[in-house]
Amino acid sequence: MDNISIARVLEETASLLEIDAADPFRIRSYRRAAEAVEQQTAQLASLADDPKQLLAIAGIGKGMAANIVDILSTGSTPLRDELLKKYRPSMLELLRLPGMGPKTVALIWSALNVCDIDALEEAAKAGHLNKLPRMGEKFTTKLLKGIEDYRKNSSRFRIDQAREHAERISALIREFPGIDEITPAGSLRRGRETVGDLDLLVTGPACEPDVVAAAVEHVASLPLIDKLLARGQNKVSFTLRNNLQVDVRLLPRASYGAALQYFTGSKMHNVALRQRAIKRGMTLNEYALLRVEDNSIVAAATEELIYRALDLDYIPPELRENSGELDAAANHALPELITLTDIRGDLHMHTVETDGAHTIREMAEAALSRGLQYIAITDHSKNLAMTNGMDDRRAIAHIQRIREIDTEMRGSIRVLAGIEVDILAEGELDLSDDTLAQMDIVVASVHSRFDQPVEQMTDRILRAIENPYVRILGHPTGRKVLKRDPYAVHIETILKRASELGVAVEHNASPARADLNDLHLRLAKQHGCRIVVNTDAHSTTELDQIRYGITQLRRAWLTAADILNTQPSAEALLAQLRPR
DNA sequence: GCCGTTTTCGGCCCGACTGTTTTCAGTCG
């Protein structure tokens, strides 16, 4: 059983305990353990024989280690089995409805014997809920709407789409006079691949307490609001037509840093941070870091001040997941994370020769204008017929054109000749070695059959990278965000072999693909892989998607030294790749 | 159930908003 599945069982147990009105701290322990398990790069199944290794994980003690051993051998724990006798698994789904918490789920179960969504809808329509305490007309209406939304769309939003919405909304809010700054917080700021909702923090003279009402009014009447969910003194919540929920908070300048810190999260990071504050005789909320004894403000205006006051180095948002960043910040051991400007080249992009939108020259100029020093043009090979993939003859001719453009650019940017070759079912490539031998960069990618058994898929990739001309393994997992593909491959096996062979592993920056997640990337580093981050751009604007790739690298604690395409020149880069 | 720069017991993060409430419980982030 993999870590994700173990974490799911622990999380389920936490929810069941919640419905059972168990000790809240015990519940938190299960949640914390679930998160910790999910963040491990090593598979717990492989180290459960040695209890010491489990106990070394923060948040896992004797009891939880025993639970994990149980889960690995039986798929469950005695406690969970016990709870499932008392309640129903379908209740866990009820918790996902807005307004439905553990207390309410427990209540409708004991009072009405309702344990799933269909029965709940029926009971609500029949007016049975109104007889229960604190559930009136409004509650029922809201619940029915929530059920409808849940069935329609219960998914999260991709980070690039969320960012676009954030920018659109921000532009509208900015029209109100006296708004200085709007920052998206929450998981968007932390760079998660998907976000559940949008948190926008707003500050400026118009957000000071005595005048904020007018600005709140402005936000609450934005034209793109589909449904207004709540409006308080300085907060407005609404949904867009696509069901994305947006929370806008208008905050005075003096406490903006505290708010930013608070609403950026993650939740577990915040909990840990507040515990640290308490130990130091302070308390932290969304307005300020305060000294407990006299309620005096220690820090509030910026995040930097708050972290410093807690004896911590500034922690970048991408690292705020309570996975060791507090210890590292306390010991001045945070890595110097890679930034966008560290990237000097992009080694995977397409042109009009196959399925791209722009010419070689246009791509080169666009890359140059973005400050890149080298790129590789890597159009598709023939097996991808729907992209107008090239056969050997066309691929050779294409190289010539790339070389010509490279010359025309007169060294302002180097344009390397490459190809994205397809890995066929048996692991061979769809172009001849003679052709590949003429390429500076050969990216080998799998493009189909992700429904194959894992072993077959892995085998296919392992065989392909044995080809001595392959220098980069393109989007190695074929994972697609929101499609919720399980890892289609034994990624650790592949990373190990790629590392041995000197084949670089690509992190595909495209948010749709988001190929390697932060755990994969940490694993790649552990195994000594050469990592490159590429956009796989099909148009000039898609070159900008590199920022999303960088965010994921940062989330994996990677530095410029961990990534190959930070090399200062094309020659330096080629020297790092598998020799020809 | 976890954890230890007061502790192996006794703590464990914080506030806003909602609905149906004359004082608060539940949910949410």
Side-chain angles (χ1 to χ4, degrees):
Chain A
M1 186 184 296
D2 66 3
N3 292 351
I4 308 279
S5 310
I6 298 169
R8 193 178 304 132
V9 173
L10 292 173
E11 172 61 38
E12 260 179 44
T13 310
S15 293
L16 288 166
L17 281 169
E18 229 172 359
I19 293 171
D20 201 45
D23 174 16
F25 300 108
R26 192 179 180 205
I27 295 166
R28 186 189 296 168
S29 292
Y30 276 88
R31 288 246 149 78
R32 180 146 184 248
E35 294 219 0
V37 168
E38 213 175 293
Q39 288 188 352
Q40 294 305 304
T41 50
Q43 289 296 320
L44 297 196
S46 67
L47 43 85
D49 305 333
D50 181 5
K52 277 204 200 93
Q53 300 213 52
L54 289 181
L55 292 172
I57 302 170
I60 299 202
K62 261 180 93 177
M64 206 55 75
N67 281 333
I68 290 169
V69 171
D70 281 339
I71 292 169
L72 282 167
S73 61
T74 70
S76 185
T77 64
L79 173 64
R80 176 166 170 276
D81 292 340
E82 194 64 29
L83 289 164
L84 279 176
K85 265 186 231 157
K86 210 162 154 189
Y87 305 105
R88 299 286 171 273
S90 60
M91 289 177 170
L92 300 169
E93 199 178 8
L94 290 183
L95 290 172
R96 305 171 67 135
L97 296 172
M100 289 290 286
K103 293 288 189 314
T104 316
V105 170
L107 179 63
I108 60 163
W109 170 242
S110 65
L112 303 171
N113 237 21
V114 164
C115 69
D116 63 49
I117 292 193
D118 290 343
L120 179 64
E121 184 181 27
E122 215 172 290
K125 282 184 174 159
H128 294 326
L129 298 185
N130 297 351
K131 297 175 195 123
L132 300 174
R134 285 185 306 280
M135 286 185 221
E137 199 57 42
K138 271 193 172 175
F139 180 88
T140 308
T141 316
K142 211 168 170 178
L143 180 64
L144 285 171
K145 172 79 170 104
I147 291 175
E148 199 188 315
D149 287 346
Y150 178 79
R151 286 184 177 144
K152 211 187 314 170
N153 176 15
S154 51
S155 77
R156 293 168 64 88
F157 290 79
R158 248 168 50 189
I159 184 171
D160 53 325
Q161 295 161 349
R163 186 174 289 282
E164 265 174 42
H165 288 299
E167 280 162 11
R168 244 179 55 229
I169 298 165
S170 299
L172 291 173
I173 295 176
R174 234 181 274 275
E175 286 175 5
F176 193 80
I179 302 289
D180 289 345
E181 204 172 319
I182 304 177
T183 318
S187 43
L188 182 58
R189 183 156 180 252
R190 297 202 312 280
R192 293 282 302 258
E193 299 173 315
T194 63
V195 305
D197 53 23
L198 217 52
D199 283 306
L200 294 180
L201 303 191
V202 183
T203 193
C207 299
E208 296 304 318
D210 45 334
V211 297
V212 71
V216 167
E217 175 58 32
H218 171 72
V219 173
S221 51
L222 291 178
L224 44 62
I225 292 178
D226 183 43
K227 201 161 173 26
L228 194 63
L229 300 176
R231 68 182 282 185
Q233 288 181 347
N234 64 351
K235 175 191 164 179
V236 182
S237 292
F238 54 87
T239 55
L240 306 178
R241 258 186 297 285
N242 64 6
N243 249 350
L244 177 63
Q245 181 174 331
V246 184
D247 297 326
V248 180
R249 293 183 167 81
L250 301 103
L251 304 146
R253 170 63 75 183
S255 63
Y256 198 58
L260 206 48
Q261 195 292 310
Y262 185 92
F263 290 110
T264 296
S266 68
K267 199 170 173 165
M268 295 307 261
H269 173 85
N270 284 359
V271 168
L273 199 62
R274 272 174 246 146
Q275 280 167 349
R276 187 178 178 90
I278 286 170
K279 272 190 200 146
R280 287 171 166 65
M282 295 180 260
T283 168
L284 180 62
N285 61 31
E286 64 248 62
Y287 301 108
L289 178 67
L290 302 161
R291 205 176 311 286
V292 170
E293 47 186 20
D294 57 0
N295 246 14
S296 64
I297 293 177
V298 182
T302 70
E303 289 187 319
E304 285 80 358
L305 290 172
I306 291 169
Y307 283 104
R308 195 181 310 152
L310 292 169
D311 302 322
L312 295 169
D313 292 339
Y314 176 75
I315 300 176
E318 294 92 337
L319 298 189
R320 300 184 196 167
E321 300 287 350
N322 194 31
S323 49
E325 72 277 13
L326 288 183
D327 281 344
N331 298 323
H332 308 296
L334 285 171
E336 181 145 342
L337 298 180
I338 187 168
T339 67
L340 191 53
T341 52
D342 289 325
I343 297 298
R344 305 292 178 79
D346 188 335
L347 306 175
H348 186 165
M349 66 187 67
H350 300 271
T351 71
V352 289
E353 180 66 22
T354 59
D355 61 347
H358 295 100
T359 62
I360 302 169
R361 190 179 186 105
E362 285 167 335
M363 294 304 279
E365 285 172 349
L368 177 62
S369 78
R370 285 163 175 76
L372 296 188
Q373 279 146 30
Y374 49 91
I375 58 171
I377 301 292
T378 55
D379 273 303
H380 289 291
S381 55
K382 65 183 178 190
N383 195 46
L384 290 185
M386 79 282 245
T387 68
N388 188 27
M390 302 177 291
D391 57 17
D392 288 281
R393 191 183 51 78
R394 271 178 66 207
I396 300 284
H398 197 40
I399 295 179
Q400 295 316 313
R401 286 191 292 277
I402 297 170
R403 302 263 184 241
E404 281 164 27
I405 299 292
D406 184 40
T407 310
E408 286 173 27
M409 298 304 287
R410 296 169 179 282
S412 59
I413 182 167
R414 286 297 317 280
V415 185
L416 301 174
I419 190 145
E420 181 178 22
V421 67
D422 192 43
I423 301 177
L424 300 172
E426 298 304 319
E428 72 271 31
L429 307 174
D430 68 338
L431 291 183
S432 75
D433 282 359
D434 287 345
T435 305
L436 302 185
Q438 300 188 44
M439 306 281 178
D440 302 314
I441 302 284
V442 173
V443 181
S445 310
V446 172
H447 289 97
S448 61
R449 304 290 309 176
F450 278 102
D451 53 346
Q452 274 185 339
V454 171
E455 291 73 16
Q456 220 169 310
M457 194 71 198
T458 306
D459 222 46
R460 192 172 155 188
I461 293 174
L462 288 177
R463 254 183 268 177
I465 59 179
E466 296 292 332
N467 182 303
Y469 297 109
V470 171
R471 303 187 98 174
I472 298 176
L473 175 59
H475 40 81
T477 66
R479 174 172 164 268
K480 284 191 180 170
V481 170
L482 293 184
K483 287 269 172 79
R484 306 194 190 290
D485 281 356
Y487 314 146
V489 287
H490 284 162
I491 188 65
E492 190 162 8
T493 313
I494 290 170
L495 293 174
K496 270 187 201 160
R497 188 63 186 142
S499 172
E500 287 164 12
L501 291 169
V503 172
V505 176
E506 172 185 84
H507 174 52
N508 199 299
S510 150
R513 180 85 64 177
D515 188 62
L516 298 173
N517 64 24
D518 45 357
L519 281 185
H520 296 144
L521 287 163
R522 270 151 63 187
L523 214 50
K525 180 173 177 174
Q526 276 174 26
H527 288 298
C529 284
R530 299 139 193 248
I531 305 170
V532 294
V533 55
N534 293 329
T535 58
D536 194 357
H538 285 68
S539 68
T540 51
T541 53
E542 281 182 15
L543 290 171
D544 292 325
Q545 295 193 338
I546 193 75
R547 69 196 277 194
Y548 298 108
I550 299 298
T551 303
Q552 290 307 310
L553 299 178
R554 289 171 64 87
R555 288 179 59 79
W557 297 56
L558 299 185
T559 68
D562 296 318
I563 307 301
L564 283 193
N565 44 336
T566 58
Q567 291 291 325
S569 69
E571 287 65 35
L573 170 89
L574 291 172
Q576 295 287 318
L577 291 174
R578 185 190 214 176
R580 316 240 58 164

